Amino acid sequence: MRRVIRLGVNIDHVATLRQARRGRAPDLLAAAHAAVLGGADQITVHLREDRRHVQDDDVRRLKASLSVDLNLEMAATPEMTAVALEVRPTIACLVPEKRAELTTEGGLDVSGNLDRLRETTDALRAGGVAVSLFVDPDERSILAAGEVGVRAVELHTGRYARAAGEEERLREFFALKQAARTAHELGLRVHAGHGLDYGNVWRVAALPEVEELNIGFAIVARAVFTGLSAAVRQMRDEMLRARDVAERGQ
Ligand code: PXP
C-alpha cells in the first residue's frame, strides 16, 4: 500500500516580514494561496500569545478563504482555546510557548501537564477541531500523548535538524524513527516538523509512519529567491522523491 505524505506550509515568517513595518505587505492570504498553488496540502500558522507575527484576524481570514486544511499551532491556554473554537481550524497543534524564545524550542511536557492537555483537547474536539501534540521524539512523551485522546503527534525534528555531525544526526534520526513507530502502534497519526530544510528533509519524509510534515522557515527563506510557489513545489518534490525511493527499496 502506498502511504501518502502531506506538506503543511508554515507561513509565520511571511507575517514576520509584514510586522517589521506593521503594514499590509506581504499579504498573508496571497502567500497562503501561492503555497497552495505550489502544492501545499495545508497552511500552518502559529498564533503566539505575544502576537509577534500572525494576528487573530489573519487566522479568521485564512479559515474563510482557504481551500485546504488549516493547522493552528497554539499554546494550551483558555485564551487560545477560545480563538480556536471561534475560528475552527481543521486541526490545532498544541505547543509549549515561552515568551523569550526565538522559535518553539522543545516539545510539550505531556506527562507533567496531562490534565490541562486533556481539558484543552476535550474542549477542542467537542467544537469539531482535531488535535495534535508537538512532542519530542522520546518514548515517555509518546506514551503520555497516547493517554490524552488526540488524533496525532507532531514529532519535534529540531534536534535532528540542528545536529552537529553525521553521528549525532543519525542518533537523532533513530529517535524519530522509534518514536514514529511507537506512536503509530498506539493508533496516533504521525506528523513531524521544525528545522527541516531541502537538505535534511529526505530521511524524515522516508519514514513510512510519517503522514505530514510542517515546514516554514526553509521554504520562506528560499521563496525570497524563487517565489513561494516554486519553493513549496521544490520541497514537495524532495519529500515525494524520498518517499518513493524508500518504498522502492522495501
Ligand atoms: N511545527 C511546529 C509545531 C512549529 O512550532 C514550527 C515552528 O513554528 C514548525 C513546525 C516549523 O518549523 P520551521 O519554521 O523551522 O520549519
Side-chain angles (χ1 to χ4, degrees), residues 15 40 99 114 142 182 200 205:
R99 281 185 183 254
L114 259 188
I142 306 295
T182 306
N200 65 26

Side-chain angles (χ1 to χ4, degrees), residues 138-221:
D138 61 67
E139 190 90 348
R140 187 161 171 260
S141 300
I142 306 295
L143 293 176
E147 293 175 33
V148 179
V150 290
R151 173 191 285 184
V153 284
E154 179 165 325
L155 302 177
H156 196 318
T157 51
R159 284 207 304 259
Y160 161 74
R162 280 195 316 271
E166 192 56 10
E167 195 180 322
E168 187 183 334
R169 183 163 297 111
L170 275 179
R171 197 168 52 242
E172 296 301 338
F173 171 67
F174 283 113
L176 288 165
K177 186 174 175 170
Q178 187 55 48
R181 214 172 263 172
T182 306
H184 183 70
E185 281 166 10
L186 288 173
L188 296 164
R189 296 190 194 179
V190 184
H191 305 167
H194 211 288
L196 294 176
D197 63 27
Y198 296 85
N200 65 26
V201 74
W202 64 275
R203 274 203 189 100
V204 184
L207 291 174
E209 295 85 3
V210 173
E211 291 183 33
E212 177 182 305
L213 298 180
N214 284 295
I215 307 179
F217 189 83
I219 292 175
V220 174

Side-chain angles (χ1 to χ4, degrees), residues 10 12 73 93 95 103-104 134 154 193-196 214-217:
N10 181 315
D12 290 353
E73 295 174 3
C93 178
V95 300
T103 181
T104 315
F134 190 45
E154 179 165 325
H194 211 288
L196 294 176
N214 284 295
I215 307 179
F217 189 83

Side-chain angles (χ1 to χ4, degrees), residues 94 96 107-118 121 132-136 138-150 153-154:
L94 303 183
L108 286 164
D109 172 8
V110 184
S111 39
N113 292 284
L114 259 188
D115 289 345
R116 189 161 58 93
L117 291 172
R118 268 206 194 110
T121 299
S132 71
L133 299 182
F134 190 45
V135 294
D136 289 320
D138 61 67
E139 190 90 348
R140 187 161 171 260
S141 300
I142 306 295
L143 293 176
E147 293 175 33
V148 179
V150 290
V153 284
E154 179 165 325

